[in-house]
Short mmCIF file of all heavy atoms in Angstrom, two decimals:
data_model
loop_
_atom_site.label_atom_id
_atom_site.label_comp_id
_atom_site.label_asym_id
_atom_site.label_seq_id
_atom_site.Cartn_x
_atom_site.Cartn_y
_atom_site.Cartn_z
N ARG A 464 86.66 95.60 109.31
CA ARG A 464 86.93 95.73 110.71
C ARG A 464 88.48 95.98 110.90
O ARG A 464 89.24 95.30 110.20
CB ARG A 464 86.47 94.55 111.53
CG ARG A 464 86.62 94.76 113.01
CD ARG A 464 86.17 93.49 113.79
NE ARG A 464 86.09 93.73 115.29
CZ ARG A 464 85.99 92.78 116.17
NH1 ARG A 464 85.89 91.54 115.78
NH2 ARG A 464 85.91 93.08 117.45
N ILE A 465 88.79 96.92 111.70
CA ILE A 465 90.22 97.19 112.08
C ILE A 465 90.35 97.22 113.55
O ILE A 465 89.69 98.02 114.18
CB ILE A 465 90.73 98.49 111.43
CG1 ILE A 465 90.59 98.49 109.94
CG2 ILE A 465 92.17 98.76 111.86
CD1 ILE A 465 90.95 99.80 109.20
N GLN A 466 91.08 96.29 114.10
CA GLN A 466 91.39 96.27 115.56
C GLN A 466 92.89 96.61 115.74
O GLN A 466 93.76 96.08 114.96
CB GLN A 466 91.17 94.94 116.16
CG GLN A 466 89.67 94.46 116.09
CD GLN A 466 89.59 92.95 116.33
OE1 GLN A 466 89.80 92.22 115.40
NE2 GLN A 466 89.29 92.60 117.54
N GLY A 467 93.23 97.44 116.65
CA GLY A 467 94.61 97.77 116.91
C GLY A 467 94.91 97.74 118.43
O GLY A 467 94.01 97.97 119.22
N MET A 468 96.09 97.37 118.77
CA MET A 468 96.54 97.43 120.19
C MET A 468 97.89 97.94 120.34
O MET A 468 98.87 97.37 119.74
CB MET A 468 96.38 96.02 120.85
CG MET A 468 96.64 96.13 122.35
SD MET A 468 96.61 94.55 123.14
CE MET A 468 94.88 94.11 123.07
N MET A 469 98.08 99.06 121.05
CA MET A 469 99.41 99.54 121.43
C MET A 469 99.65 99.14 122.86
O MET A 469 98.96 99.53 123.78
CB MET A 469 99.49 101.09 121.26
CG MET A 469 100.81 101.61 121.71
SD MET A 469 102.19 100.94 120.89
CE MET A 469 102.21 101.92 119.36
N ASP A 470 100.65 98.26 123.05
CA ASP A 470 100.97 97.76 124.40
C ASP A 470 102.44 98.02 124.70
O ASP A 470 103.27 97.13 124.65
CB ASP A 470 100.68 96.21 124.37
CG ASP A 470 100.76 95.61 125.71
OD1 ASP A 470 100.86 96.38 126.73
OD2 ASP A 470 100.76 94.36 125.83
N ARG A 471 102.64 99.31 124.96
CA ARG A 471 104.02 99.78 125.31
C ARG A 471 105.03 99.57 124.14
O ARG A 471 105.22 100.51 123.43
CB ARG A 471 104.49 99.03 126.59
CG ARG A 471 103.65 99.35 127.83
CD ARG A 471 104.03 100.66 128.51
NE ARG A 471 103.22 100.95 129.67
CZ ARG A 471 103.49 100.69 130.91
NH1 ARG A 471 104.65 100.05 131.18
NH2 ARG A 471 102.72 101.07 131.91
N SER A 472 105.62 98.45 124.03
CA SER A 472 106.64 98.24 123.03
C SER A 472 106.19 97.21 121.95
O SER A 472 107.08 96.71 121.17
CB SER A 472 107.99 97.82 123.59
OG SER A 472 107.78 96.64 124.42
N VAL A 473 104.98 96.89 121.90
CA VAL A 473 104.41 96.00 120.82
C VAL A 473 103.15 96.63 120.33
O VAL A 473 102.26 97.02 121.12
CB VAL A 473 104.04 94.59 121.38
CG1 VAL A 473 103.66 93.64 120.21
CG2 VAL A 473 105.19 94.04 122.19
N PHE A 474 103.09 96.74 118.98
CA PHE A 474 101.78 97.19 118.35
C PHE A 474 101.30 96.05 117.44
O PHE A 474 102.08 95.47 116.69
CB PHE A 474 102.01 98.48 117.53
CG PHE A 474 100.77 98.94 116.90
CD1 PHE A 474 99.75 99.60 117.59
CD2 PHE A 474 100.50 98.59 115.57
CE1 PHE A 474 98.57 99.96 116.97
CE2 PHE A 474 99.33 99.01 114.92
CZ PHE A 474 98.35 99.67 115.66
N GLU A 475 100.06 95.80 117.48
CA GLU A 475 99.47 94.85 116.54
C GLU A 475 98.20 95.39 115.91
O GLU A 475 97.42 96.15 116.59
CB GLU A 475 99.10 93.51 117.28
CG GLU A 475 100.31 92.80 117.86
CD GLU A 475 99.99 91.33 118.14
OE1 GLU A 475 99.76 90.59 117.14
OE2 GLU A 475 100.04 90.93 119.31
N VAL A 476 97.97 95.05 114.71
CA VAL A 476 96.74 95.40 113.98
C VAL A 476 96.15 94.17 113.37
O VAL A 476 96.87 93.21 112.89
CB VAL A 476 97.00 96.48 112.89
CG1 VAL A 476 97.85 95.94 111.70
CG2 VAL A 476 95.71 97.04 112.40
N TYR A 477 94.82 93.99 113.44
CA TYR A 477 94.15 92.87 112.92
C TYR A 477 92.99 93.43 112.03
O TYR A 477 92.14 94.19 112.46
CB TYR A 477 93.48 92.03 114.08
CG TYR A 477 94.50 91.31 114.91
CD1 TYR A 477 95.38 91.97 115.74
CD2 TYR A 477 94.59 89.86 114.84
CE1 TYR A 477 96.34 91.30 116.48
CE2 TYR A 477 95.52 89.23 115.59
CZ TYR A 477 96.40 89.91 116.38
OH TYR A 477 97.34 89.23 117.16
#
Side-chain angles (χ1 to χ4, degrees):
Chain A
R464 188 180 188 193
I465 300 174
Q466 297 162 278
M468 187 183 289
M469 175 58 82
D470 188 11
R471 298 276 178 96
S472 55
V473 188
F474 179 80
E475 295 200 66
V476 68
Y477 289 70

